[in-house]
Amino acid sequence: MQANASIPIFNKRIFWDVNFDAIDYDKKAAFVIERVFVRGDVPDIRTCRRHYGDEKICKVLSNAKWLPLATIYLACALFNNELTDYKCYNTAQLNPTHWTY
């Protein structure tokens, strides 16, 4: 994590199901990063990248159990890596579902 110990400012709608004021951004970094990339908008993602750094975010997203495909594509574009670098993408390929129409 970066040297600044300030608390990042995210939109409350991202964390609608938890106590927003009680979030520990250091202990629950993986939860915060995944939630921001799935439900946040561009300013939220920028704030997350400034606070946690690209290396930590890439590591967390690569090991996530589930991410929407759009989030995986965004992470690939941001961090210049492949779809197969993401654990959740490989798991989804091993467990095919019905066709989506």
Side-chain angles (χ1 to χ4, degrees):
M1 186 166 24
Q2 300 202 359
N4 64 353
S6 63
I7 297 173
I9 299 172
F10 297 116
N11 196 324
K12 287 187 177 185
R13 70 174 164 70
I14 298 172
F15 303 101
W16 61 272
D17 59 340
V18 297
N19 185 358
F20 184 76
D21 299 323
I23 296 173
D24 187 346
Y25 292 98
D26 295 328
K27 289 183 182 176
K28 300 292 183 183
F31 168 74
V32 172
I33 291 169
E34 288 179 25
R35 186 64 71 97
V36 167
F37 269 77
V38 171
R39 297 182 184 269
D41 53 6
V42 173
D44 294 321
I45 292 172
R46 285 183 183 148
T47 302
C48 186
R49 289 181 72 188
R50 266 186 252 122
H51 184 73
Y52 291 110
D54 287 347
E55 185 177 329
K56 182 168 185 155
I57 292 172
C58 186
K59 181 179 175 186
V60 167
L61 294 179
S62 295
N63 293 321
K65 290 185 179 180
W66 182 85
L67 292 172
L69 193 55
T71 302
I72 299 172
Y73 279 119
L74 173 65
C76 285
L78 288 176
F79 306 122
N80 198 20
N81 52 13
E82 300 294 324
L83 287 171
T84 54
D85 294 337
Y86 294 90
K87 180 179 171 183
C88 56
Y89 180 79
N90 293 327
T91 304
Q93 296 300 311
L94 295 172
N95 299 312
T97 59
H98 295 289
W99 292 23
T100 55
Y101 292 101

